[in-house]
Amino acid sequence: MKLERYLIGGGTLLVFLLAWELCADSGAINPLLISSPSRIAEAGAAAMSDPDFWTDVRVSANEFILGYVAAIIVGVPLGLLLGTSRRLSYIFAPFVDTLNAVPRVALLPLLIIWFGIGIWSKVAVVFLGAVIPILIAALSGVNTNEARFVAMAKSFSASRTKIFLSIILPGTVPYIFTGLKYAAGRALLGVVVGELYASTAGVGRMIADAGNMFQTDTLFFGVLIFTASGLVVVAVLDRLERRFERWRPGVGAPT
Amino acid sequence: MTARPKLEAQDIRLSYLQPRTGTALAALDGVNLQIMEGEFVAIVGPSGCGKTTFLSVVDGLIAATAGRVLVDGEAVTRPGPDRAVVFQDASLLPWRTVLGNVRYGLECLGVAAREAGARAEKLVALVGLSGFEHHYPHELSGGMQQRVNLARALVVDPKILLMDEPFAALDAQTRELMQEELLRIWAAAKKTVLFITHQIDEALYLADRVVVFSGRPGKVKDSIAVDIERPRPIGVKRQARFHALEDRIWELIEEDVKTKAREDRHARA
Ligand SMILES: Nc1ncnc2c1ncn2[C@@H]1O[C@H](COP(=O)(O)OP(=O)(O)O)[C@@H](O)[C@H]1O
Ligand SMILES: [Mg+2]
């Protein structure tokens, strides 16, 4: 089954890359517009031997990691808190709902006024993009706790703290992971859009510069880096989730 | 001199506020019941007659609208370590292993980790699950899950065991096996048991006394002593006396069950 999946999936991809290469090499479509796999590989090799490229990677990675981790540190506890206290959720609900409705990248110009065009405006937009889905996921995890488990705990005279730690918190784990995966996409979007809009360095900056100079090869290479980063982050989260959810039927054997 | 009952329900009434209609629904209508120390009492009644509600009141999970529950003469206001519930659906925490589920009650009572582990292991063995300590609930059969459910209640060493149709979801063979097992465990642990079921033969096989509830709102219709000597091999279910008691209880319930069936038909129509 698994082998079949890899064979068909890999085969399709290979055919696609070959067709792309042929279209460009034969001149059927101008390679300046669509580049080609071999040209992208060359551009990639050239970029990787350039120290500036590694600076760009480091800058983008820092923006992503700082903003995303801050979003987790703020979003998870705040979501749990709002889920637990009805009063607090009444206070914060208007802000959360409003922020959720606003496309956070629309705040970029403001964030640049506040934090400048260095990494901190990007960290801020990454944070804002990621924190809301994480917060909402944690909150809905608390709200969907199972009444029968709470009744069981109460029949053992469990304290409120004990109920929270042993019943409600474990119940939120799958919700939080769903939120984290979704938020990773929003965070990456924040890095790209932020750097495209105004920046001095970063892989997004590299893409923008390449575009301005019609270097489609380098441009595609930059896009590839973002794609790979997104896949890696989700894969890491999947692994983590499997560790946390060993008890769940069908979520795989113990590692 | 008559001994004081271990557990006493005095004129328990309870109505639920129905959120959808805003009206009150009477679930219990003056339940009176006395259970002596070490006695095994079963409650039978048609489904929806308030059996689970009554058990929750006895445990202190919900407050009665009127009346009171006494344990050793003291009024019950909230759950306490002298009572433990074996829930209708096993309600095992899916993220905890068998051992983790069984020790849950001890954690709530603040028993030291090492002692809790040792006591839980003993109970896992008592219910016949040695070797499954580190399995997760989804890896167990329904019968095994109910054994964990029972062990989790027994581990806190309650004086009174409140059991809510624990074997209802099991297949017939497993159910009989579990009934036999329960009697063995009860004989060893000597608890006072209040056992709820809607199956007459289960009530008769297990209990010293069968209390029959009327249809909703529930109240005690009759109480029948089961004069079948113990130990009871599963074969007693085929004795003439057993069948006679079964018939007697069925006659008491029949009318309510038929009324309920008629109501359900009307509700659907
Ligand atoms: N939390 C609740 N709110 C409103 N009505 C309830 C609630 N729990 C039970 N009921 C109603 O009370 C009646 C008795 O329920 P229950 O005690 O569960 O019966 P049984 O266990 O005998 O089947 C039923 O009609 C049920 O619909
Ligand atoms: Mg019930």
Side-chain angles (χ1 to χ4, degrees), chain A residues 3-229:
Chain A
L3 187 70
E4 187 186 348
R5 197 176 112 203
Y6 287 139
L7 277 179
I8 295 179
T12 316
L13 192 65
L14 208 69
V15 169
F16 171 75
L17 290 176
L18 267 174
W20 184 1
E21 187 73 46
L22 281 175
C23 278
D25 287 350
S26 67
I29 304 175
N30 187 346
L32 192 60
L33 296 181
I34 61 161
S35 186
S36 75
S38 64
R39 289 177 175 80
I40 296 170
E42 265 170 51
M48 283 199 272
S49 59
D50 180 354
D52 283 352
F53 167 75
W54 294 107
T55 312
D56 286 335
V57 169
R58 209 168 325 112
V59 166
S60 293
N62 282 342
E63 290 164 354
F64 177 85
I65 292 167
L66 288 172
Y68 188 61
V69 169
I72 295 174
I73 292 173
V74 173
V76 172
L78 196 58
L80 295 175
L81 200 68
L82 297 194
T84 321
S85 155
R86 194 170 310 161
R87 290 243 172 71
L88 275 180
S89 78
Y90 290 161
I91 296 176
F92 280 92
F95 298 98
V96 173
D97 291 343
T98 312
L99 262 180
N100 192 30
V102 175
R104 264 83 69 191
V105 290
L107 298 173
L108 252 174
L110 183 67
L111 293 173
I112 286 172
I113 295 174
W114 286 355
F115 299 110
I117 66 165
I119 77 162
W120 294 107
S121 53
K122 264 65 79 184
V123 171
V125 80
V126 167
F127 171 81
L128 283 178
V131 74
I132 300 296
I134 293 174
L135 189 156
I136 290 176
L139 192 152
S140 47
V142 175
N143 287 340
T144 50
N145 70 73
E146 285 208 57
R148 63 198 179 110
F149 293 153
V150 175
M152 184 277 292
K154 281 189 175 156
S155 89
F156 285 116
S157 314
S159 65
R160 283 179 60 119
T161 318
K162 177 75 184 170
I163 291 178
F164 181 78
L165 292 177
S166 65
I167 310 278
I168 295 177
L169 201 57
T172 62
V173 170
Y175 290 85
I176 291 178
F177 269 103
T178 307
L180 287 181
K181 280 184 240 174
Y182 179 74
R186 312 305 301 176
L188 216 52
L189 184 77
V191 173
V192 179
V193 177
E195 288 181 356
L196 287 180
Y197 179 70
S199 61
T200 50
V203 178
R205 176 80 264 151
M206 181 185 105
I207 293 178
D209 290 343
N212 290 338
M213 294 183 285
F214 290 97
Q215 295 170 346
T216 32
D217 310 339
T218 311
L219 191 157
F220 269 109
F221 179 63
V223 172
L224 199 64
I225 289 180
F226 279 122
T227 312
S229 317

Side-chain angles (χ1 to χ4, degrees), chain A residues 148-149 151-158 162-163 166-168 170-171 246-250, chain B residues 59 61 79-80 85 87 89 91-96 104-105 107-108 136 138 152-153 156:
Chain A
R148 63 198 179 110
F149 293 153
M152 184 277 292
K154 281 189 175 156
S155 89
F156 285 116
S157 314
K162 177 75 184 170
I163 291 178
S166 65
I167 310 278
I168 295 177
R246 254 178 316 173
W247 50 268
R248 196 178 276 279
Chain B
D59 190 44
L61 277 173
V85 182
F87 288 89
D89 48 19
S91 291
L92 302 179
L93 300 176
W95 49 81
R96 281 182 175 234
Y104 188 80
E107 291 172 18
C108 294
Y136 286 95
H138 77 90
R152 177 176 62 188
V156 296

Side-chain angles (χ1 to χ4, degrees), chain B residues 27-28 41-52 54 88 164-165 168 194-204 210-222 224 249-258 260:
Chain B
L28 297 172
V41 171
I43 296 179
V44 290
S47 79
C49 74
K51 303 184 295 295
T52 297
F54 179 64
Q88 186 161 5
D164 190 1
E165 306 202 30
L194 179 57
F195 187 101
I196 285 174
T197 176
H198 62 259
Q199 281 170 317
I200 299 170
D201 71 321
E202 179 168 80
L204 281 172
V210 176
V211 172
V212 180
F213 265 36
S214 68
R216 201 186 70 226
K219 56 176 169 295
V220 175
K221 200 165 196 179
D222 206 347
I224 288 149
I249 294 174
W250 172 242
E251 273 166 30
L252 286 165
I253 301 184
E254 191 176 19
E255 194 187 325
D256 288 316
V257 173
K258 284 185 174 159
K260 176 149 196 330

